Every structure is written in C-alpha cells, then in structure tokens.
Amino acid sequence: MSSRRSESTRAAILDAARERFAADGYERATIRAIARDASIDPSMVMRYYGNKEGLFAAAVTVDLALPDLAERPREEVGRVLVTHFLARWEEDEVLTALLRVGVTNQAGAELMQGIFRDQFLPVARRVCPDPEQAPARAALVATQVLGMALTRYVLRIPPAVALHHEEVVAWLAPTLQRYLTAPNP
C-alpha cells in the first residue's frame, strides 16, 4: 500500500472515529460502525490502531478549558479548580472514556500525560510559590481530581456518586489549594 494511500486511509478512519465517538459515545461506538463510516474493512482499523482503545486515543482531542487562575484570588484556586473539573466530568463523556482508556492502554496513558503536561502544568506553574515544585504539586492535584473522577464516574462507587457537588468542593478544594499554594512541607 502506498504511503499516500495509507495516510488517506488513516485520516478517513480518524474522521469517522471522531464522528462516531461524538454521536454514539465511547461505549456504543464500534469498530465495525467506524469502518463502515470510513468505507473500509474493519481489519484495516485494527491494523492501524490495534483496538478500540488505541483508536480512541488517536482520534480524541481534549481541551480542559481551564480557567485562568491568575485572574482569580489566590485563596480561591482550589475551589475554582474542583468546581471546574466537576462540571467538565459531568458534561463531557469523552473525559470519562479517556480516563478508562488511559488506565488500560498505553496510547491513552500517553494522551492523558500530554494533557497534564500541556494544559494543567502551565496553570500550576502560575500559582505555585516555587515554580520548580510545580510539576510535583500539579501531580498531587491530578491524584485528587483523577481519583474522584475514577471513583465517581468510572467505578461509580455509591458514596462517591452520592456526594453533592458542594460536598465534593468542600472536601477537595482545601486539598487542591494546599497542594498548589501552601509553603513546601
């Protein structure tokens, strides 16, 4: 297969996958439907992307649309972030699917790492008292945000699901605040 044809096949698969994941969601989208939409055999999807998780990781782009924390009072950083992430997890099933894929698939994990590095780390650098500590502090924030998302939206552990937004914010905001703005312990 020529390189040009290979590239156009990959592009057709990714276009079809983006549309299908958007229309049907991650769980209901199938390799067969994506292949049909791209007018190719399902085996070609598997050849290029290995499995549904690999295809999803290649097809999806995520913009966390993080608020500009520099415009917020420093003492509100934790609350602003928890509130933002809760809204994003509840409004965007792609994030939940990405979390699932990220824990089971190397391409998904790399995508999650890229989102952390490119989108969240710069935000953390703006509010951390010592920019050299920003990567570690941002990683600590990720443990809380991703841990809550995993227990609430993926594993659906009943007490985590039952918490009202205000309760989640009340519990997590001080922790995120401390991770990002407190003096080094």
Side-chain angles (χ1 to χ4, degrees), residues 1-184:
M1 179 178 286
S2 76
S3 171
R4 184 175 299 156
R5 198 161 130 211
S6 174
E7 286 179 33
S8 68
T9 300
R10 283 179 185 267
I13 293 168
L14 291 177
D15 287 345
R18 285 183 192 106
E19 288 181 23
R20 182 61 61 178
F21 286 130
D24 295 350
Y26 177 79
E27 297 300 325
R28 291 183 309 279
T30 66
I31 293 290
R32 286 188 188 284
I34 292 165
R36 185 175 56 246
D37 294 347
S39 301
I40 60 166
D41 188 87
S43 66
M44 294 300 289
V45 176
M46 303 304 279
R47 175 180 171 196
Y48 288 120
Y49 298 101
N51 55 30
K52 183 175 165 180
E53 291 84 6
L55 175 60
F56 181 78
V60 73
T61 56
V62 173
D63 180 358
L64 295 176
L66 291 166
D68 184 355
L69 297 180
E71 295 180 2
R72 307 294 174 113
R74 187 175 183 86
E75 64 276 3
E76 292 182 15
V77 168
R79 183 190 55 75
V80 168
L81 282 175
V82 173
T83 302
H84 176 78
F85 277 114
L86 278 175
R88 288 304 312 272
W89 286 105
E90 298 210 351
E91 295 167 2
D92 190 350
E93 75 174 46
V94 169
L95 289 176
T96 304
L98 182 56
L99 183 58
R100 281 190 195 102
V101 169
V103 298
T104 61
N105 176 279
Q106 183 60 36
E110 290 170 5
L111 180 60
M112 293 284 285
Q113 292 164 8
I115 291 167
F116 172 82
R117 178 190 62 245
D118 299 339
Q119 295 183 46
F120 188 70
L121 191 53
V123 170
R125 280 198 169 98
R126 286 188 213 111
V127 296
C128 288
D130 180 353
E132 288 184 20
Q133 295 175 346
R137 289 172 178 250
L140 289 168
V141 169
T143 67
Q144 300 301 302
V145 172
L146 295 176
M148 177 55 75
L150 183 65
T151 57
R152 188 174 172 100
Y153 304 110
V154 175
L155 300 174
R156 302 200 49 80
I157 295 175
V161 173
L163 288 170
H164 294 284
H165 281 244
E166 300 79 26
E167 292 174 292
V168 175
V169 172
W171 281 106
L172 290 185
T175 302
L176 269 58
Q177 184 73 36
R178 181 171 57 89
Y179 286 161
L180 288 171
T181 65
N184 193 22

